[in-house]
Amino acid sequence: MSDQPHLMASVVGNLGAALREAGRYEEAITAHSRAAETFRLIRDEAEEGSALTSLGGVLQHVGRYEEAIAAHSRAVRIHARLDDPHREAAALNNLGGAWQLTGRTEEAMGSLTRAAEIFRVLGDQYGEALALINLGEALQQTDRTQEAVGTLTRAARLFKQFDAHGYEARASHALGEALLARGSAEEAVTVLSRTADLCRGLGDHGNEATTLLSLAAALEEADRPDAAANRYAQAATAFERAGDNPGKGWALTNYAGALLLAGRTGEALPAAESALEHNRRVVSDEPVAYTHVLAHSLRLLAWLREEEQQNLPGSLSAAREAAELLTPLASTHPESYAPSLRAALEQWAHVLDVLHRTGEAEEVRRRLEKMDHGQA
């Protein structure tokens, strides 16, 4: 048989990789599909499996998850049939990641567990760590916290051994979250502090910022609100360096909340006003995605104004605006936003009580009663 079809398929596959690198994803999908089909026709299953892996990766990147699952599943079957356990494990890891992105966590954990076991038997600790980090995150999503802690601890140790600092930071961040969910706040503080330092050393300000948010939450859980406030302030700076204005707004709002928890209400009020001003600017650019952040900062400011007995009409206005912003969100996503809406309505009614506007307070409480009957 002529080598020309094989050569052409290889060239097309390389073209697909170059197109993906250039951000031309649809063209890359076409190229990888052609390469996989050509290798199938000339019965080169090993290369077909590799082409399918590349195809699945691009499909996953553009959010075509079902097609990615199909491509990765075919790659798994091919490499298993060829008795190539290393490529089979890699394909299982890819498949697990695709399952996870669709929210089918049980299927994801099945694939990832098999991948980790095969890599372990082969003595490929780096491959094992790649599977374990995905598995640990999946375990955490299903509230299997103790298993997640063990899995992520091993993943972080393996990545540290290989000086794979980016992956180590990802595993450590997930580990810190799992420790916090387990109730081990001080352990979470230790792990997340190191993770933030690691991200900073890598110049990865985006992940540094999100880690600092988690660290601050752990410090709050450990009843260390002053330290939490400091970390929220650092997170806001890191988000700014990363060019993430919505993230900065969330950090600024939480900073004001931590100051409040620390009893530093004199500092908390101007911090909350600053956070609100920032979040208004963010929402003016992207109103749909970040309205809930604006509502959160409005609720905090309303509470502080009432607590400090400063500008009660302003407190009322903020509580009312928060409730109105949250109402459509709670209607479409009640599991996520109904508790926040309830809190905003209760706050609105309470400020009306303080202002002796009893009739209006009763109207707001009727809205709360409708929520109880599923009519909000």
Side-chain angles (χ1 to χ4, degrees):
M1 179 182 295
S2 169
D3 288 337
Q4 187 174 5
H6 189 284
L7 177 61
M8 288 301 299
S10 298
V11 169
V12 171
N14 291 336
L15 174 62
L19 288 166
R20 175 175 180 169
E21 188 69 23
R24 296 162 62 177
Y25 301 116
E26 291 302 324
E27 293 171 85
I29 288 169
T30 299
H32 287 308
S33 297
R34 284 179 54 199
E37 178 62 14
T38 301
F39 284 127
R40 186 187 68 80
L41 291 172
I42 64 176
R43 299 184 180 181
D44 187 334
E45 288 191 299
E47 291 297 334
E48 180 190 356
S50 295
L52 286 167
T53 294
S54 298
L55 173 60
V58 186
L59 288 166
Q60 200 165 310
H61 185 80
V62 298
R64 291 163 62 175
Y65 300 132
E66 295 301 330
E67 294 170 81
I69 287 168
H72 291 314
S73 297
R74 284 175 59 194
V76 169
R77 291 194 295 270
I78 287 171
H79 295 310
R81 186 166 59 247
L82 294 175
D83 194 22
D84 187 339
H86 196 275
R87 287 188 175 184
E88 179 188 359
L92 282 165
N93 186 39
N94 293 331
L95 176 59
W99 280 122
Q100 206 167 340
L101 288 168
T102 66
R104 284 171 279 187
T105 312
E106 291 298 329
E107 290 93 333
M109 289 191 295
S111 293
L112 295 167
T113 300
R114 285 172 59 199
E117 288 173 351
I118 294 171
F119 280 128
R120 190 176 302 118
V121 169
L122 294 173
D124 183 348
Q125 291 188 320
Y126 191 83
E128 179 190 353
L130 290 172
L132 287 175
I133 192 173
N134 291 328
L135 177 59
E137 290 170 347
L139 287 164
Q140 178 67 0
Q141 288 175 3
T142 54
D143 296 325
R144 293 164 63 175
T145 305
Q146 191 58 41
E147 293 174 77
V149 167
T151 300
L152 292 165
T153 297
R154 177 164 174 76
R157 286 175 180 167
L158 288 173
F159 285 128
K160 183 177 181 180
Q161 173 184 313
F162 287 104
D163 291 327
H165 299 306
Y167 278 120
E168 181 192 352
R170 176 183 157 192
S172 294
H173 189 175
L175 173 59
E177 296 275 9
L179 287 166
L180 186 57
R182 191 179 70 177
S184 305
E186 289 294 350
E187 290 180 66
V189 167
T190 299
V191 170
L192 292 168
S193 294
R194 168 175 163 71
T195 307
D197 290 341
L198 193 59
C199 292
R200 190 175 306 114
L202 293 169
D204 186 348
H205 298 303
N207 281 321
E208 177 194 358
T210 56
T211 301
L212 286 166
L213 286 182
S214 298
L215 173 56
L219 286 163
E220 286 180 329
E221 191 67 24
D223 197 24
R224 295 162 61 184
D226 284 296
N230 181 50
R231 293 300 191 175
Y232 281 129
Q234 291 178 4
T237 300
F239 276 124
E240 184 172 5
R241 288 175 179 161
D244 185 342
N245 281 319
K248 180 182 176 182
W250 191 255
L252 288 171
T253 303
N254 286 345
Y255 170 62
L259 289 171
L260 175 62
L261 288 174
R264 296 158 60 182
T265 52
E267 298 171 71
L269 185 55
E273 290 171 341
S274 176
L276 178 60
E277 182 181 347
H278 177 88
N279 287 328
R280 285 200 188 283
R281 290 196 299 270
V282 172
V283 169
S284 68
D285 293 330
E286 299 188 61
V288 176
Y290 302 107
T291 298
H292 66 290
V293 183
L294 175 60
H296 180 62
S297 59
L298 282 162
R299 284 178 51 211
L300 177 62
L301 182 59
W303 196 94
L304 280 163
R305 282 173 171 168
E306 182 189 349
E307 184 73 9
E308 291 292 288
Q309 291 293 297
Q310 293 186 21
N311 189 3
L312 283 176
S315 174
L316 177 63
S317 175
R320 180 174 56 240
E321 184 181 356
E324 298 304 342
L325 286 172
L326 288 164
T327 296
L329 295 176
S331 176
T332 54
H333 301 287
E335 67 289 344
S336 298
Y337 298 111
S340 295
L341 174 58
R342 168 171 286 282
L345 288 168
E346 288 173 347
Q347 190 173 31
W348 184 3
H350 185 263
V351 180
L352 285 166
D353 285 336
V354 172
L355 291 169
H356 306 294
R357 293 163 63 171
T358 308
E360 293 171 77
E362 288 177 357
E363 288 182 20
V364 175
R365 290 195 170 94
R366 279 194 286 273
R367 287 184 60 179
L368 281 165
E369 290 174 7
K370 288 182 180 179
M371 282 192 70
D372 291 336
H373 293 89
Q375 300 173 24

